[in-house]
Short mmCIF file of all heavy atoms in Angstrom, two decimals:
data_model
loop_
_atom_site.label_atom_id
_atom_site.label_comp_id
_atom_site.label_asym_id
_atom_site.label_seq_id
_atom_site.Cartn_x
_atom_site.Cartn_y
_atom_site.Cartn_z
N ILE A 74 -34.98 -20.21 -96.74
CA ILE A 74 -34.64 -19.99 -95.39
C ILE A 74 -35.47 -20.90 -94.52
O ILE A 74 -34.96 -21.47 -93.58
CB ILE A 74 -34.95 -18.50 -95.06
CG1 ILE A 74 -34.08 -17.52 -95.64
CG2 ILE A 74 -34.94 -18.35 -93.51
CD1 ILE A 74 -34.40 -16.10 -95.55
N VAL A 75 -36.66 -21.16 -94.91
CA VAL A 75 -37.59 -22.10 -94.17
C VAL A 75 -36.93 -23.49 -94.19
O VAL A 75 -36.82 -24.21 -93.20
CB VAL A 75 -39.05 -22.13 -94.70
CG1 VAL A 75 -39.79 -23.32 -94.10
CG2 VAL A 75 -39.71 -20.71 -94.40
N GLY A 76 -36.55 -23.95 -95.47
CA GLY A 76 -35.99 -25.18 -95.61
C GLY A 76 -34.65 -25.46 -94.84
O GLY A 76 -34.44 -26.37 -94.15
N ARG A 77 -33.84 -24.43 -94.88
CA ARG A 77 -32.54 -24.50 -94.07
C ARG A 77 -32.75 -24.50 -92.60
O ARG A 77 -32.15 -25.23 -91.84
CB ARG A 77 -31.58 -23.42 -94.60
CG ARG A 77 -31.26 -23.38 -96.01
CD ARG A 77 -29.95 -22.58 -96.40
NE ARG A 77 -28.82 -23.46 -96.05
CZ ARG A 77 -28.24 -24.33 -96.87
NH1 ARG A 77 -28.75 -24.52 -97.99
NH2 ARG A 77 -27.13 -24.95 -96.43
N ALA A 78 -33.73 -23.67 -92.14
CA ALA A 78 -34.04 -23.59 -90.69
C ALA A 78 -34.59 -25.00 -90.27
O ALA A 78 -34.21 -25.42 -89.16
CB ALA A 78 -34.95 -22.52 -90.42
N LEU A 79 -35.47 -25.57 -91.03
CA LEU A 79 -36.06 -26.87 -90.59
C LEU A 79 -35.00 -27.96 -90.55
O LEU A 79 -34.95 -28.75 -89.60
CB LEU A 79 -37.11 -27.36 -91.60
CG LEU A 79 -38.45 -26.56 -91.48
CD1 LEU A 79 -39.43 -26.98 -92.75
CD2 LEU A 79 -39.16 -26.84 -90.24
N HIS A 80 -34.05 -27.91 -91.41
CA HIS A 80 -32.92 -28.83 -91.44
C HIS A 80 -32.05 -28.73 -90.16
O HIS A 80 -31.76 -29.69 -89.51
CB HIS A 80 -32.06 -28.65 -92.65
CG HIS A 80 -30.84 -29.50 -92.69
ND1 HIS A 80 -30.78 -30.85 -92.76
CD2 HIS A 80 -29.46 -29.15 -92.62
CE1 HIS A 80 -29.57 -31.38 -92.82
NE2 HIS A 80 -28.69 -30.35 -92.63
N LEU A 81 -31.80 -27.43 -89.87
CA LEU A 81 -30.98 -27.19 -88.58
C LEU A 81 -31.77 -27.66 -87.41
O LEU A 81 -31.23 -28.24 -86.42
CB LEU A 81 -30.64 -25.66 -88.45
CG LEU A 81 -29.70 -25.06 -89.56
CD1 LEU A 81 -29.19 -23.75 -88.99
CD2 LEU A 81 -28.45 -26.00 -89.86
N ALA A 82 -33.09 -27.34 -87.40
CA ALA A 82 -33.84 -27.63 -86.22
C ALA A 82 -34.05 -29.11 -85.97
O ALA A 82 -33.94 -29.62 -84.84
CB ALA A 82 -35.23 -27.04 -86.33
N GLU A 83 -34.15 -29.85 -87.14
CA GLU A 83 -34.27 -31.35 -86.96
C GLU A 83 -32.96 -32.01 -86.49
O GLU A 83 -33.01 -32.92 -85.70
CB GLU A 83 -34.74 -31.94 -88.29
CG GLU A 83 -36.24 -31.58 -88.53
CD GLU A 83 -36.57 -31.92 -90.00
OE1 GLU A 83 -35.82 -32.27 -90.86
OE2 GLU A 83 -37.82 -31.86 -90.18
N ALA A 84 -31.85 -31.44 -86.96
CA ALA A 84 -30.48 -31.91 -86.49
C ALA A 84 -30.40 -31.71 -85.00
O ALA A 84 -29.91 -32.55 -84.29
CB ALA A 84 -29.42 -31.20 -87.27
N ALA A 85 -30.81 -30.55 -84.53
CA ALA A 85 -30.80 -30.19 -83.06
C ALA A 85 -31.76 -31.08 -82.31
O ALA A 85 -31.37 -31.56 -81.25
CB ALA A 85 -31.03 -28.71 -82.90
N ALA A 86 -32.95 -31.27 -82.89
CA ALA A 86 -34.05 -32.05 -82.12
C ALA A 86 -33.64 -33.47 -81.95
O ALA A 86 -33.96 -34.09 -80.86
CB ALA A 86 -35.24 -32.01 -82.96
N ALA A 87 -32.65 -33.98 -82.73
CA ALA A 87 -32.10 -35.39 -82.62
C ALA A 87 -31.31 -35.48 -81.33
O ALA A 87 -31.21 -36.61 -80.82
CB ALA A 87 -31.35 -35.78 -83.74
N HIS A 88 -30.86 -34.39 -80.73
CA HIS A 88 -30.17 -34.47 -79.48
C HIS A 88 -31.02 -34.33 -78.24
O HIS A 88 -30.54 -34.28 -77.11
CB HIS A 88 -29.07 -33.31 -79.46
CG HIS A 88 -27.96 -33.64 -80.39
ND1 HIS A 88 -26.71 -34.16 -80.01
CD2 HIS A 88 -27.92 -33.58 -81.80
CE1 HIS A 88 -25.93 -34.35 -81.10
NE2 HIS A 88 -26.65 -34.04 -82.17
N GLY A 89 -32.43 -34.35 -78.43
CA GLY A 89 -33.33 -34.34 -77.31
C GLY A 89 -33.32 -33.09 -76.41
O GLY A 89 -33.44 -33.14 -75.26
N PRO A 90 -33.37 -31.85 -77.04
CA PRO A 90 -33.42 -30.68 -76.15
C PRO A 90 -34.79 -30.51 -75.58
O PRO A 90 -35.83 -31.01 -76.10
CB PRO A 90 -33.11 -29.63 -77.18
CG PRO A 90 -33.53 -30.14 -78.50
CD PRO A 90 -33.28 -31.54 -78.43
N ASP A 91 -34.90 -29.73 -74.55
CA ASP A 91 -36.21 -29.40 -73.96
C ASP A 91 -36.81 -28.16 -74.53
O ASP A 91 -38.02 -28.07 -74.45
CB ASP A 91 -35.94 -29.20 -72.49
CG ASP A 91 -35.40 -30.38 -71.76
OD1 ASP A 91 -35.99 -31.41 -71.75
OD2 ASP A 91 -34.25 -30.23 -71.17
N ALA A 92 -36.04 -27.34 -75.20
CA ALA A 92 -36.50 -26.21 -75.90
C ALA A 92 -35.63 -25.84 -77.07
O ALA A 92 -34.44 -26.23 -77.07
CB ALA A 92 -36.68 -24.96 -74.95
N LEU A 93 -36.10 -25.15 -78.03
CA LEU A 93 -35.29 -24.64 -79.12
C LEU A 93 -35.56 -23.16 -79.28
O LEU A 93 -36.64 -22.70 -79.47
CB LEU A 93 -35.75 -25.36 -80.51
CG LEU A 93 -35.13 -24.80 -81.78
CD1 LEU A 93 -33.59 -25.16 -81.81
CD2 LEU A 93 -35.88 -25.35 -82.95
N ILE A 94 -34.40 -22.44 -79.30
CA ILE A 94 -34.39 -20.98 -79.49
C ILE A 94 -33.91 -20.77 -80.97
O ILE A 94 -32.96 -21.24 -81.45
CB ILE A 94 -33.42 -20.27 -78.44
CG1 ILE A 94 -33.98 -20.38 -77.11
CG2 ILE A 94 -33.20 -18.81 -79.00
CD1 ILE A 94 -32.99 -19.76 -76.06
N VAL A 95 -34.75 -19.97 -81.64
CA VAL A 95 -34.48 -19.52 -82.98
C VAL A 95 -33.59 -18.22 -82.81
O VAL A 95 -34.20 -17.13 -82.78
CB VAL A 95 -35.66 -19.25 -83.89
CG1 VAL A 95 -35.17 -18.96 -85.28
CG2 VAL A 95 -36.52 -20.54 -83.96
N GLY A 96 -32.21 -18.38 -82.71
CA GLY A 96 -31.47 -17.21 -82.33
C GLY A 96 -31.11 -16.38 -83.57
O GLY A 96 -29.94 -16.00 -83.75
N CYS A 97 -32.14 -16.07 -84.39
CA CYS A 97 -31.87 -15.34 -85.68
C CYS A 97 -33.16 -14.67 -86.04
O CYS A 97 -34.15 -15.24 -86.08
CB CYS A 97 -31.53 -16.38 -86.75
SG CYS A 97 -31.40 -15.76 -88.41
N ASN A 98 -33.09 -13.32 -86.25
CA ASN A 98 -34.23 -12.54 -86.61
C ASN A 98 -34.74 -12.97 -87.95
O ASN A 98 -36.02 -13.10 -88.21
CB ASN A 98 -33.98 -11.09 -86.54
CG ASN A 98 -33.58 -10.55 -85.16
OD1 ASN A 98 -32.41 -10.56 -84.79
ND2 ASN A 98 -34.50 -10.06 -84.43
N THR A 99 -33.87 -13.16 -88.95
CA THR A 99 -34.26 -13.47 -90.30
C THR A 99 -35.05 -14.81 -90.25
O THR A 99 -36.10 -15.00 -90.97
CB THR A 99 -33.07 -13.53 -91.29
OG1 THR A 99 -32.48 -12.23 -91.31
CG2 THR A 99 -33.57 -13.89 -92.58
N ALA A 100 -34.53 -15.83 -89.54
CA ALA A 100 -35.22 -17.08 -89.45
C ALA A 100 -36.48 -16.98 -88.80
O ALA A 100 -37.46 -17.67 -89.12
CB ALA A 100 -34.31 -18.15 -88.76
N THR A 101 -36.57 -16.22 -87.74
CA THR A 101 -37.88 -15.95 -87.04
C THR A 101 -38.95 -15.32 -87.95
O THR A 101 -40.05 -15.79 -88.04
CB THR A 101 -37.65 -15.09 -85.76
OG1 THR A 101 -36.76 -15.67 -84.98
CG2 THR A 101 -39.00 -14.91 -85.12
N VAL A 102 -38.55 -14.42 -88.77
CA VAL A 102 -39.43 -13.67 -89.62
C VAL A 102 -40.03 -14.71 -90.60
O VAL A 102 -41.29 -14.70 -90.83
CB VAL A 102 -38.67 -12.57 -90.43
CG1 VAL A 102 -39.41 -12.17 -91.64
CG2 VAL A 102 -38.34 -11.40 -89.53
N HIS A 103 -39.09 -15.56 -91.24
CA HIS A 103 -39.65 -16.36 -92.31
C HIS A 103 -39.94 -17.86 -91.90
O HIS A 103 -40.79 -18.47 -92.63
CB HIS A 103 -38.52 -16.43 -93.36
CG HIS A 103 -38.26 -15.13 -94.03
ND1 HIS A 103 -39.20 -14.42 -94.72
CD2 HIS A 103 -37.14 -14.33 -93.98
CE1 HIS A 103 -38.67 -13.28 -95.11
NE2 HIS A 103 -37.46 -13.17 -94.73
N ALA A 104 -39.48 -18.34 -90.88
CA ALA A 104 -39.58 -19.77 -90.57
C ALA A 104 -40.23 -20.11 -89.26
O ALA A 104 -40.46 -21.37 -89.01
CB ALA A 104 -38.15 -20.43 -90.61
N LEU A 105 -40.49 -19.17 -88.34
CA LEU A 105 -40.99 -19.51 -87.04
C LEU A 105 -42.35 -20.32 -87.14
O LEU A 105 -42.44 -21.30 -86.37
CB LEU A 105 -41.22 -18.29 -86.26
CG LEU A 105 -41.69 -18.54 -84.72
CD1 LEU A 105 -40.53 -19.30 -84.00
CD2 LEU A 105 -41.89 -17.27 -83.99
N THR A 106 -43.19 -19.99 -88.06
CA THR A 106 -44.50 -20.67 -88.16
C THR A 106 -44.26 -22.08 -88.54
O THR A 106 -44.84 -23.04 -88.00
CB THR A 106 -45.37 -19.92 -89.09
OG1 THR A 106 -45.65 -18.62 -88.68
CG2 THR A 106 -46.77 -20.66 -89.29
N ALA A 107 -43.46 -22.28 -89.54
CA ALA A 107 -43.10 -23.68 -90.04
C ALA A 107 -42.34 -24.48 -88.97
O ALA A 107 -42.63 -25.71 -88.77
CB ALA A 107 -42.23 -23.56 -91.26
N LEU A 108 -41.42 -23.89 -88.20
CA LEU A 108 -40.79 -24.58 -87.18
C LEU A 108 -41.73 -25.04 -86.02
O LEU A 108 -41.65 -26.16 -85.56
CB LEU A 108 -39.59 -23.75 -86.65
CG LEU A 108 -38.41 -23.50 -87.44
CD1 LEU A 108 -37.59 -22.41 -86.94
CD2 LEU A 108 -37.60 -24.71 -87.63
#
Side-chain angles (χ1 to χ4, degrees):
I74 292 169
V75 169
R77 301 198 77 87
L79 286 170
H80 174 66
L81 295 193
E83 288 170 349
H88 288 259
D91 301 299
L93 172 68
I94 292 173
V95 184
C97 174
N98 294 90
T99 297
T101 299
V102 166
H103 296 295
L105 184 61
T106 299
L108 289 167

